Amino acid sequence: NSKSMPGYPGGSVVGFAPDEEGRPIFVFSGMSSHTVDILADPRCSVTIADKNFKGAADGRVNLMGTCNRLKDPEEIAKAKEIYLQKHPGAFWVEFGDFFWYRMEVEAIRFVGGFARAGTVTPKEYKEASPDPIMAFGQAIAQHMNEDHMSATIAMVEHYIPGLSGDNYVKEAVINRVDSLGMDVKITRDKDNEDRLPGQPQQFKVRLPFPTPVTERKDVKVAIMEMTNAASETQKS
């Protein structure tokens, strides 16, 4: 709620770090307009987008709640520790006119992409744990994209109906790897408009793993299993 324009929402782009309960931690300058707004009315929302966010087909979550300044020295020290783990180069946290804030999450709206929206209760959100694969999933994706894209294309052609044959899939870039599977961006043959009429030249598909995984070695096993299955199909 903008202090200078009461009744209108004020927007800003800020850094944050979640604590062990998923509550966003911020460090704001006392001179910033969003700080002034929050001090006047602590009700706010923050939208967090996927790292590969490009548009409405990509994942994001909107958290709503109240954001208040931390004053307890122990809470401030803990918040600083958490924030610097996420943002080790945030030298401005030492400036005298920057103060620590924490948001208490009261409502959650999740959108995973087209037709993938839902509501998460605050209790469910608080009790949830970060996906164990996300810590190193991007490194796996980079390795696959740089060295094994042909295997990714084979998996896409095998597991996604309508995409096999005719060299229709020209490129398959893994955007994300998590415990349940992989998000893959497809670039199709731009001259083939008959296969899937109206299909954009680039679009995203989901490749689920055969079973959920929790460790790095499990991801390798799952990808190898899927690649072998695709290879056997190509041979037959």
Side-chain angles (χ1 to χ4, degrees):
N1 188 1
S2 172
K3 183 178 180 180
S4 60
M5 293 285 290
Y8 288 83
S12 187
V13 177
V14 298
F16 79 99
D19 67 7
E20 65 279 358
E21 296 183 13
R23 297 174 297 184
I25 291 171
F26 310 97
V27 55
F28 293 150
S29 167
M31 297 185 295
S32 298
S33 59
H34 51 260
T35 307
V36 174
D37 292 342
I38 284 175
L39 288 174
D41 185 345
R43 294 175 299 175
C44 63
S45 75
V46 56
T47 297
I48 303 160
D50 185 279
K51 287 184 178 180
N52 298 299
F53 186 87
K54 297 294 183 182
D58 301 309
R60 65 272 192 192
V61 64
N62 178 251
L63 307 178
M64 291 173 280
T66 54
C67 189
N68 292 288
R69 180 179 168 183
L70 299 178
K71 297 183 179 181
D72 180 85
E74 291 187 5
E75 288 191 328
I76 291 173
K78 182 62 176 178
K80 182 177 179 181
E81 177 186 354
I82 292 171
Y83 194 89
L84 288 177
Q85 286 178 349
K86 180 73 172 178
H87 307 284
F91 58 88
W92 54 87
V93 304
E94 304 293 350
F95 293 175
D97 65 334
F98 276 71
F99 306 97
W100 294 96
Y101 290 77
R102 183 177 64 212
M103 181 178 178
E104 298 294 333
V105 179
E106 299 169 17
I108 304 99
R109 294 175 178 170
F110 171 76
V111 180
F114 288 125
R116 295 173 61 192
T119 299
V120 180
T121 68
K123 183 176 184 294
E124 291 171 333
Y125 178 79
K126 183 177 180 179
E127 294 176 351
S129 299
D131 190 298
I133 305 301
M134 294 297 288
F136 48 81
Q138 199 58 39
I140 295 174
Q142 182 177 349
H143 171 66
M144 290 293 295
N145 293 336
E146 293 177 353
D147 299 333
H148 304 289
M149 186 178 291
S150 60
T152 306
I153 291 175
M155 287 187 284
V156 167
E157 292 179 335
H158 175 68
Y159 287 101
I160 305 300
L163 298 187
S164 63
D166 302 327
N167 200 24
Y168 183 72
V169 177
K170 296 294 186 181
E171 186 177 77
V173 177
I174 299 174
N175 280 343
R176 180 170 63 182
V177 181
D178 55 53
S179 62
L180 300 179
M182 301 176 284
D183 290 339
V184 185
K185 182 178 72 175
I186 304 299
T187 300
R188 67 166 178 84
D189 180 1
K190 63 182 177 61
D191 297 320
N192 189 340
E193 298 292 348
D194 298 326
R195 170 69 68 84
L196 297 171
Q199 183 71 39
Q201 189 182 356
Q202 289 190 329
F203 55 95
K204 294 181 180 180
V205 299
R206 177 72 173 172
L207 280 179
F209 289 142
T211 57
V213 298
T214 57
E215 298 182 17
R216 193 176 193 129
K217 61 180 178 62
D218 298 330
V219 178
K220 182 178 180 180
V221 170
I223 292 176
M224 289 180 62
E225 179 181 331
M226 295 169 72
T227 302
N228 290 338
S231 178
E232 288 299 320
T233 299
Q234 290 176 339
K235 291 178 183 178
S236 60

